[in-house]
Amino acid sequence: MQTIKIVDVTHQQEHQEHTAADLIFEKRNKSCEIVVILFEYCNFACTFCPQNHDSTLGMSYDEIVSKAELITNYINNNKFASEFVIRLIGGEPFNDKIIVGSNLLAAYSELARRVREGADLKGRPCEFIWISNFSMLECRDEVKQFMDEQGPDTTFVVSFDLKGRFNKANLETFKENIEIFAPYVRNVNTVITKQNIESLLAGDEYYNYLYNKFDCSWDMYIKGDSLNNYAIPLESQVLEFYKLLADEYPRVEFIVPFLADTKYGAFHHTLCSRGNGAAIDADNTIIPEGCVGSHYLKKFKVPVAVQHNGPDSFIDNTLTSFLDKYNCHSCEFYQRCPMMCFSGVKAGNMISDLDTCVNKLLFQYVDAKKKK
């Protein structure tokens, strides 16, 4: 059996110099995210996705159920987390082609049952989140029954992109499914690509509808290879996008910390769960750093930045290259800042055209508006 090693480390260790890198421990997110890649097979071909959507690796009952032991092992050895979020992704887990006439929904159910029974949560919450593109047609009734049987600890995070995901037909299917499955939707998630930014800045009526009906979030773009470079936005574009979110979409998950009341001080953990998370690949390989983004960076041989040594895998070259790039510890907004996707920055998810960190500029923009 493969295990995930948990290292209990404080940011001030005996006989160890208190370095800038160690300070980041205080900002570790206490909400533990466990990302499980069941398989990469998908019925979509999103232009910005780094996965191999023809692969059927991991797409059997036994392979899916086998991941329960890895998940429960991690939970039972994690003393730091205040809660657990198990994020189950494909590919597309609810594709008609693989669900109709198969035993995959039974496998999903058995995986969750074994985790619920095997995890020693010690009163800590645990939720199961299924990531879906909401393209199901023939299997709608089966999927709805599955969600009803799972109960209130199980929800969907729905993938929606303004550009690069849907054709006309499957957009209409998405719109039907978002209404059918609305009671099960935790939030709607979009990728920060150049095309999505441009579309939202231009105005998108349907995104506005989704925002007004559901919680919404945005993920940093992790490019697969050089062919996807066209989707990378400029830092200046990202800043204008962030300002738009702050002004018009203030409930977007990662924008909330920027708008928080600072009358009595403010402290925010990192939105990224690095240092308190796990990730499992389709072949049950444990992904180092608990980060799917780092996994795809290595897969596509993204150059490694300057290597730093740290007390455990949390302080790795992905994290410290981010801290070095933006000189985070000397920033006046360090305590308030939720940071961002460390792997995304390493991957070059923004084209540099600003001299200052985008987050810092957003804090300055928001604070200036509050003073008016």
Side-chain angles (χ1 to χ4, degrees):
M1 181 190 73
Q2 197 172 9
T3 61
I4 306 174
K5 184 179 180 182
I6 307 297
V7 182
D8 185 16
V9 185
T10 62
H11 67 276
Q12 278 188 308
Q13 293 183 317
E14 188 177 5
H15 308 307
Q16 181 177 355
E17 182 182 355
H18 190 66
T19 65
D22 294 322
L23 288 171
I24 195 66
F25 274 105
E26 68 185 2
K27 288 182 73 72
R28 280 187 299 174
N29 195 326
K30 291 184 71 67
S31 177
C32 170
E33 181 177 74
I34 303 171
V35 181
V36 183
I37 303 175
L38 298 171
F39 46 80
E40 294 193 350
Y41 187 85
C42 187
N43 57 322
F44 276 18
C46 299
T47 57
F48 46 78
C49 185
Q51 292 185 326
N52 175 9
H53 289 329
D54 293 323
S55 173
T56 58
L57 178 67
M59 207 172 68
S60 72
Y61 182 97
D62 289 341
E63 288 170 303
I64 290 167
V65 171
S66 69
K67 291 174 172 58
E69 188 172 9
L70 295 172
I71 297 168
T72 54
N73 171 265
Y74 181 78
I75 291 174
N76 293 343
N77 285 282
N78 187 324
K79 305 299 189 291
F80 176 78
S82 61
E83 64 179 5
F84 296 93
V85 177
I86 302 170
R87 197 173 290 262
L88 300 129
I89 70 175
E92 171 51 45
F94 301 103
N95 174 1
D96 282 345
K97 185 175 179 180
I98 65 172
I99 293 297
V100 175
S102 79
N103 60 358
L104 288 188
L105 289 179
Y108 301 163
S109 182
E110 179 63 13
L111 168 64
R113 185 192 69 80
R114 293 189 185 189
V115 171
R116 291 188 184 101
E117 290 188 358
D120 182 14
L121 294 170
K122 295 180 170 51
R124 295 172 292 180
C126 180
E127 60 178 312
F128 298 82
I129 297 176
W130 290 88
I131 314 301
S132 176
N133 61 28
F134 267 21
S135 60
M136 54 280 224
L137 284 168
E138 296 176 33
C139 67
R140 282 172 176 167
D141 290 342
E142 293 177 77
V143 173
K144 188 175 185 302
Q145 181 180 349
F146 166 78
M147 295 298 289
D148 286 336
E149 291 172 349
Q150 293 304 296
D153 67 355
T154 303
T155 56
F156 286 117
V157 165
V158 185
S159 300
F160 174 82
D161 290 277
L162 292 74
K163 296 290 183 181
R165 179 178 295 273
F166 300 110
N167 59 34
K168 184 176 181 180
N170 54 41
L171 178 57
E172 289 306 309
T173 299
F174 175 93
K175 290 181 176 180
E176 292 174 6
N177 282 326
I178 200 74
E179 304 302 328
I180 293 169
F181 293 98
Y184 313 97
V185 174
R186 187 181 193 268
N187 75 334
V188 176
N189 188 66
T190 308
V191 180
I192 303 176
T193 62
K194 177 182 177 181
Q195 291 73 25
N196 280 334
I197 288 175
E198 291 172 345
S199 295
L200 194 64
L201 287 171
D204 189 285
E205 184 178 348
Y206 188 63
Y207 184 83
N208 292 344
Y209 169 77
L210 293 174
Y211 174 80
N212 289 322
K213 187 164 183 172
F214 303 101
D215 289 337
C216 291
S217 59
W218 288 71
D219 267 347
M220 287 289 180
Y221 171 51
I222 302 290
K223 70 187 184 76
D225 55 40
S226 60
L227 296 177
N228 294 336
N229 283 346
Y230 75 95
I232 303 175
L234 295 168
E235 287 178 330
S236 56
Q237 289 177 307
V238 173
L239 177 60
E240 292 309 305
F241 164 66
Y242 282 4
K243 289 178 180 178
L244 175 67
L245 294 182
D247 291 340
E248 304 294 335
Y249 306 94
R251 291 188 295 102
V252 166
E253 182 181 16
F254 77 87
I255 287 297
V256 171
F258 292 93
L259 304 175
D261 186 1
T262 59
K263 184 177 180 181
Y264 301 105
F267 175 83
H268 291 285
H269 294 288
T270 59
L271 287 177
C272 173
S273 62
R274 175 180 292 272
N276 181 33
I280 302 168
D281 206 352
D283 63 357
N284 284 4
T285 298
I286 308 304
I287 299 171
E289 306 151 11
C291 175
V292 173
S294 289
H295 168 60
Y296 286 112
L297 296 189
K298 293 182 175 104
K299 180 178 178 181
F300 290 100
K301 298 181 175 58
V302 173
V304 172
V306 177
Q307 180 68 52
H308 291 256
N309 294 320
D312 73 0
S313 62
F314 177 55
I315 309 277
D316 65 2
N317 61 343
T318 299
L319 172 65
T320 51
S321 61
F322 176 94
L323 300 177
D324 290 349
K325 177 179 174 69
Y326 294 110
N327 198 21
C328 296
H329 292 103
S330 66
C331 178
E332 65 268 35
F333 302 110
Y334 173 75
Q335 293 292 324
R336 295 167 59 189
C337 188
M339 306 294 188
M340 56 179 74
C341 173
F342 304 117
S343 294
V345 172
K346 181 178 173 183
N349 59 3
M350 292 181 278
I351 298 172
S352 180
D353 68 335
L354 297 175
D355 295 328
T356 306
C357 169
V358 171
N359 282 16
K360 184 173 185 175
L361 293 172
L362 180 61
F363 272 118
Q364 291 173 345
Y365 171 79
V366 168
D367 286 359
K369 289 196 69 173
K370 287 179 181 178
K371 293 177 181 178
K372 291 181 179 179

